[in-house]
Amino acid sequence: ISQLLQMATQIPASTIAEHASKDSCWIVVHSKVYDVTEFLDEHPGGSKIILKYAGKDATEAYEPIHPPDAIRNNLAVDKHIGEIDPTTFVKVVKEVTEADRKRQALMEARPPLDEILNLHDFEAVAKKVLPEKAWAYYSSASDDEITIRENRAAYQRIWFRPRVLRDVTSVDWSTTILGQKSSLPVYISATALGKLGHPDGELNLTRAAGKHGVIQMLPTLASCSFDEIVDAAVPDQPLFLQLYVNRDRNITKKYVQHAQKRGVKALFITVDAPQLGRREKDMRMKFVGDDAGAKVQEGQSDIKKNEGVARAISSFIDPSLSWKDIPWFQSITSMPIILKGIATPEDAVMALEAGVQGIVLSNHGGRQLDTSRSGLENLVEIVAALKKRGPWPNPNFSIFVDGGVRRASDALKALALGASAVGIGRGFLYAFCSYGQDGVEKAIQILRDEFEMNMRLLGARHLGELVPEMVDASALHSHAGLTPNDSLYSSIYQPLRLAEFRDA
Ligand code: 173
């Protein structure tokens, strides 16, 4: 009842404006008024950003970063003060900048969807139409961005050895992934903060995946709430969940068990991000257009200000996570557990021995340890190590690969070398940033067409016929020498910028 009363309380904007300091800080989100004074120091994104909206409507800033229920769930009920009196509500009209206008014009001049022929095309459109900060966050990788480019290059060091005269009238590229039917040997990998790029965020992926029998891995740091996404799935649509493990294990336990109850089919625990990599494109964005920038350069800043979007919201992730925690995860869920971010045979064998159901050979899209090798290169060594440990393929232990996959031919190479399926993150992300759900459906259609053609030309009628003999991986470990220029990808790759003189 007290909650009902509070929610019925209407507060004029002038009263809210009186609480605009760190001693008393109220904010408005979706017309609701919250007292966040005591929450300021707990906010994973720091207090500074909240204080910017103290006494005001913060909805615009809140929306792309947080699931709609984040504030309701994290703030004690007695801090839910009421609702803003609608007669006093001055809607914050976001200033339309020159850049916004340019982007809108570009959005209207986008190539029609039927002229999009490959996944690189989506990336090229997204680069033009995304707000600068969103592009910087999504496209960035760590340090010198060597690994993100190596992820593409590695696929070009593998060559096909096709078989002919096999009656390839009908070819079938459907499969099962962790016991779940999938129309492609590809799943949608988790990427955070979907609403930075499209108002429907991750729901674009869920809807397209449901329609076309593709499996989506939901990110812990989605912009849509977990339940919102699950509710958007069609009946029996399989979903996987990517997990960042919270320092507070009770939060993680509740989250995992809720996911299992809602029917999620597998848990992918991210193990390669005890600390987030320094993504300089993302970080440098903070210096531009933000008043924080000037102060940072005068050296008056705390570290938080120049961390970029990702680092600012990642402090909840537990760096103490270790192999000792695996039995605990196995005790709180009966979902299959997959460790995402394995990079060596040593750790692959430890994962097998820990009794998890699989691993993802991933370098986090080049966003973590720079100059770490590609998942594809690691695959060869890891399969060899696992073969020594028992029967292979092992129906109880799957290997997935992600990073740099843009074509069905990429996926076929990984599958021939022993992967069960491959993950695509950015490819699908850019598809919805540029064309919403239609873009994701188109991306799936493109991959289907590519699988059909490439399997015919390779002489593999179904995925079981993809064998290591169909690829020449002899150059895979050679990091020197000529690698053909991947011109589509290279033309999209945005070079890093150097520090700029203030008045230049
Ligand atoms: O790669 C990322 O950006 C990522 O995984 C992440 C982690 C924490 C917060 C936001 C994004």
Side-chain angles (χ1 to χ4, degrees):
I1 283 181
S2 82
Q3 193 174 4
L4 282 178
L5 279 177
Q6 279 164 6
M7 279 333 205
T9 313
Q10 295 205 332
I11 305 158
S14 54
T15 308
I16 298 166
E18 285 164 21
H19 301 267
S21 72
K22 69 177 183 355
D23 303 315
S24 180
C25 179
W26 293 8
I27 57 165
V28 182
V29 175
H30 295 134
S31 313
K32 305 264 195 308
V33 185
Y34 300 96
D35 179 350
V36 292
T37 317
E38 285 164 32
F39 178 69
L40 285 172
D41 289 333
E42 289 167 36
H43 184 230
S47 61
K48 176 110 183 165
I49 181 73
I50 302 185
L51 285 167
K52 196 166 153 187
Y53 295 92
K56 291 188 263 193
D57 190 330
T59 311
E60 283 267 1
Y62 173 92
E63 195 118 66
I65 313 270
H66 307 80
D69 54 8
I71 195 162
R72 257 179 289 138
N73 293 346
N74 285 306
L75 207 63
V77 178
D78 64 323
K79 307 292 180 197
H80 301 210
I81 308 280
E83 259 181 64
I84 183 160
D85 177 349
T87 62
T88 67
F89 184 56
V90 191
K91 179 137 180 46
V92 187
V93 187
K94 198 172 165 268
E95 189 200 345
V96 182
T97 63
E98 190 48 40
D100 292 335
R101 259 192 292 275
K102 254 199 203 145
R103 237 186 353 265
Q104 191 52 40
L106 281 167
M107 201 68 181
E108 276 152 31
R110 278 171 310 175
L113 205 46
D114 57 12
E115 286 178 22
I116 298 295
L117 297 184
N118 54 57
L119 268 54
H120 299 283
D121 279 337
F122 289 114
E123 199 158 342
V125 175
K127 183 182 175 188
K128 288 209 162 181
V129 300
L130 278 173
E132 246 187 319
K133 279 191 186 182
W135 171 254
Y137 166 65
Y138 291 149
S139 68
S140 64
S142 50
D143 294 2
D144 290 309
E145 304 196 340
I146 304 294
T147 288
I148 189 177
R149 287 179 281 168
E150 162 64 6
N151 282 349
R152 280 299 303 147
Y155 281 101
Q156 295 177 274
R157 297 201 299 270
I158 293 190
W159 299 86
F160 281 124
R161 302 176 74 249
R163 301 300 306 272
V164 297
L165 295 172
R166 286 188 157 187
D167 183 358
V168 288
T169 314
S170 69
V171 286
D172 179 10
W173 50 91
S174 66
T175 189
T176 56
I177 305 177
L178 298 164
Q180 306 302 316
K181 275 205 157 77
S182 173
S183 67
L184 297 175
V186 172
Y187 60 86
I188 301 173
S189 198
T191 50
L193 303 179
K195 282 191 188 171
L196 283 179
H198 189 283
D200 290 347
E202 297 80 11
L203 297 178
N204 291 297
L205 299 169
T206 316
R207 292 171 181 143
K211 218 162 139 184
H212 297 278
V214 173
I215 303 176
Q216 177 191 12
M217 186 200 300
L218 313 184
T220 295
L221 290 160
S223 302
C224 300
S225 77
F226 173 83
D227 286 302
E228 223 181 330
I229 300 174
V230 178
D231 290 342
V234 295
D236 297 323
Q237 176 178 339
L239 296 168
F240 297 156
L241 179 67
Q242 174 270 336
L243 181 72
Y244 273 122
V245 179
N246 200 297
R247 292 168 194 266
D248 179 346
R249 291 301 152 84
N250 271 325
I251 293 176
T252 290
K253 182 177 173 186
K254 263 200 217 148
Y255 185 61
V256 169
Q257 294 186 337
H258 179 66
Q260 177 166 345
K261 209 181 296 159
R262 295 254 20 216
V264 166
K265 295 291 189 278
L267 185 67
F268 286 69
I269 305 176
T270 298
V271 296
D272 62 6
Q275 174 179 346
L276 279 215
R278 299 174 82 263
R279 295 100 184 240
E280 293 183 14
K281 281 175 185 154
D282 187 25
M283 292 166 77
R284 213 176 283 283
M285 259 309 123
K286 288 278 151 177
F287 290 80
V288 186
D290 237 328
D291 51 7
K295 292 199 200 86
V296 166
Q297 287 173 25
E298 281 157 27
Q300 302 171 355
S301 73
D302 54 26
I303 303 266
K304 273 265 144 71
K305 278 181 219 139
N306 63 5
E307 283 195 319
V309 176
R311 278 191 152 195
I313 63 170
S314 65
S315 59
F316 73 94
I317 299 172
D318 190 349
S320 83
L321 190 66
S322 83
W323 290 104
K324 286 192 221 125
D325 294 300
I326 305 298
W328 179 76
F329 288 105
Q330 291 163 325
S331 79
I332 64 162
T333 184
S334 59
M335 288 187 277
I337 294 174
I338 292 83
L339 304 183
K340 177 173 179 284
I342 296 290
T344 58
E346 296 91 306
D347 281 341
V349 167
M350 286 180 80
L352 179 73
E353 285 173 353
V356 297
Q357 281 64 48
I359 50 181
V360 185
L361 312 188
S362 171
N363 51 42
H364 209 116
R367 294 160 78 82
Q368 289 300 105
L369 181 63
D370 197 25
T371 66
S372 53
R373 306 198 306 183
S374 70
L376 186 69
E377 184 172 355
N378 291 329
L379 176 65
V380 175
E381 273 183 19
I382 287 172
V383 167
L386 293 176
K387 270 186 181 158
K388 282 193 206 141
R389 295 261 154 179
W392 188 264
N394 180 345
N396 301 315
F397 193 80
S398 305
I399 303 186
F400 305 103
V401 174
D402 71 23
V405 179
R406 294 292 184 277
R407 298 269 193 193
S409 53
D410 300 330
L412 293 171
K413 290 172 183 177
L415 265 61
L417 291 169
S420 300
V422 299
I424 298 182
R426 286 192 188 89
F428 288 119
L429 169 72
Y430 292 138
F432 81 69
C433 290
S434 49
Y435 296 91
Q437 179 185 340
D438 291 346
V440 183
E441 293 192 36
K442 177 76 180 191
I444 293 170
Q445 180 59 50
I446 289 168
L447 289 171
R448 273 203 293 254
D449 292 348
E450 289 186 352
F451 274 113
E452 179 176 38
M453 178 195 72
N454 282 300
M455 286 181 70
R456 284 215 173 96
L457 299 182
L458 196 52
R461 285 156 293 200
H462 56 87
L463 298 178
E465 287 188 345
L466 282 171
V467 290
E469 290 75 19
M470 282 179 168
V471 294
D472 168 9
S474 59
L476 183 56
H477 296 294
S478 161
H479 290 234
L482 287 178
T483 306
N485 191 6
D486 181 349
S487 63
L488 284 174
Y489 185 81
S490 303
S491 70
I492 294 157
Y493 174 68
Q494 185 182 327
L496 291 166
R497 290 188 296 122
L498 293 166
E500 280 170 31
F501 281 82
R502 246 175 288 173
D503 299 320

mmCIF file of all heavy atoms in Angstrom, residues 22 71 86 112 121 173 347 396 464 478:
data_model
loop_
_atom_site.group_PDB
_atom_site.id
_atom_site.type_symbol
_atom_site.label_atom_id
_atom_site.label_comp_id
_atom_site.label_asym_id
_atom_site.label_seq_id
_atom_site.Cartn_x
_atom_site.Cartn_y
_atom_site.Cartn_z
ATOM 1 N N LYS A 22 24.832 16.532 -4.331
ATOM 2 C CA LYS A 22 25.150 15.201 -3.836
ATOM 3 C C LYS A 22 24.632 14.974 -2.410
ATOM 4 O O LYS A 22 24.615 13.842 -1.931
ATOM 5 C CB LYS A 22 26.644 14.893 -3.968
ATOM 6 C CG LYS A 22 27.596 15.667 -3.083
ATOM 7 C CD LYS A 22 28.986 15.107 -3.365
ATOM 8 C CE LYS A 22 30.112 15.684 -2.535
ATOM 9 N NZ LYS A 22 29.886 16.776 -1.624
ATOM 10 N N ILE A 71 16.616 0.439 -12.434
ATOM 11 C CA ILE A 71 16.535 1.360 -11.294
ATOM 12 C C ILE A 71 15.499 0.865 -10.282
ATOM 13 O O ILE A 71 15.737 0.876 -9.074
ATOM 14 C CB ILE A 71 16.259 2.811 -11.768
ATOM 15 C CG1 ILE A 71 16.533 3.814 -10.645
ATOM 16 C CG2 ILE A 71 14.864 2.991 -12.309
ATOM 17 C CD1 ILE A 71 16.699 5.242 -11.146
ATOM 18 N N PRO A 86 2.540 15.796 -14.130
ATOM 19 C CA PRO A 86 2.638 15.941 -15.598
ATOM 20 C C PRO A 86 2.374 17.379 -16.080
ATOM 21 O O PRO A 86 2.885 17.768 -17.136
ATOM 22 C CB PRO A 86 1.588 14.977 -16.148
ATOM 23 C CG PRO A 86 0.723 14.599 -14.996
ATOM 24 C CD PRO A 86 1.487 14.855 -13.733
ATOM 25 N N PRO A 112 19.284 0.393 -50.370
ATOM 26 C CA PRO A 112 18.151 -0.480 -50.078
ATOM 27 C C PRO A 112 18.659 -1.868 -49.662
ATOM 28 O O PRO A 112 19.737 -2.282 -50.096
ATOM 29 C CB PRO A 112 17.398 -0.551 -51.403
ATOM 30 C CG PRO A 112 18.319 -0.014 -52.443
ATOM 31 C CD PRO A 112 19.318 0.857 -51.756
ATOM 32 N N ASP A 121 28.861 -5.230 -45.723
ATOM 33 C CA ASP A 121 28.010 -4.107 -46.132
ATOM 34 C C ASP A 121 27.281 -3.495 -44.926
ATOM 35 O O ASP A 121 27.174 -2.275 -44.808
ATOM 36 C CB ASP A 121 26.963 -4.572 -47.155
ATOM 37 C CG ASP A 121 27.520 -4.653 -48.577
ATOM 38 O OD1 ASP A 121 28.518 -3.963 -48.864
ATOM 39 O OD2 ASP A 121 26.952 -5.396 -49.393
ATOM 40 N N TRP A 173 22.794 -27.508 -44.169
ATOM 41 C CA TRP A 173 23.734 -26.907 -43.220
ATOM 42 C C TRP A 173 23.096 -26.710 -41.838
ATOM 43 O O TRP A 173 23.614 -25.996 -41.001
ATOM 44 C CB TRP A 173 24.245 -25.569 -43.767
ATOM 45 C CG TRP A 173 23.130 -24.668 -44.216
ATOM 46 C CD1 TRP A 173 22.484 -23.739 -43.471
ATOM 47 C CD2 TRP A 173 22.508 -24.659 -45.500
ATOM 48 N NE1 TRP A 173 21.495 -23.149 -44.207
ATOM 49 C CE2 TRP A 173 21.485 -23.689 -45.457
ATOM 50 C CE3 TRP A 173 22.715 -25.386 -46.677
ATOM 51 C CZ2 TRP A 173 20.662 -23.434 -46.555
ATOM 52 C CZ3 TRP A 173 21.902 -25.116 -47.765
ATOM 53 C CH2 TRP A 173 20.896 -24.147 -47.709
ATOM 54 N N ASP A 347 44.283 -24.811 -20.863
ATOM 55 C CA ASP A 347 42.996 -24.462 -20.255
ATOM 56 C C ASP A 347 41.847 -25.295 -20.842
ATOM 57 O O ASP A 347 40.877 -25.583 -20.142
ATOM 58 C CB ASP A 347 42.711 -22.966 -20.425
ATOM 59 C CG ASP A 347 43.481 -22.123 -19.412
ATOM 60 O OD1 ASP A 347 43.932 -22.692 -18.379
ATOM 61 O OD2 ASP A 347 43.640 -20.913 -19.629
ATOM 62 N N ASN A 396 29.863 -34.941 -25.452
ATOM 63 C CA ASN A 396 29.580 -34.192 -24.224
ATOM 64 C C ASN A 396 30.453 -32.947 -24.064
ATOM 65 O O ASN A 396 30.431 -32.295 -23.009
ATOM 66 C CB ASN A 396 29.784 -35.101 -23.006
ATOM 67 C CG ASN A 396 28.894 -36.311 -23.076
ATOM 68 O OD1 ASN A 396 27.707 -36.198 -23.399
ATOM 69 N ND2 ASN A 396 29.461 -37.485 -22.835
ATOM 70 N N GLY A 464 28.324 -33.143 -41.455
ATOM 71 C CA GLY A 464 29.121 -34.321 -41.097
ATOM 72 C C GLY A 464 30.181 -34.650 -42.146
ATOM 73 O O GLY A 464 31.147 -35.356 -41.853
ATOM 74 N N SER A 478 51.653 -19.302 -39.431
ATOM 75 C CA SER A 478 52.653 -18.377 -39.925
ATOM 76 C C SER A 478 52.157 -16.942 -39.777
ATOM 77 O O SER A 478 51.250 -16.501 -40.485
ATOM 78 C CB SER A 478 52.943 -18.697 -41.396
ATOM 79 O OG SER A 478 53.540 -17.590 -42.002
#
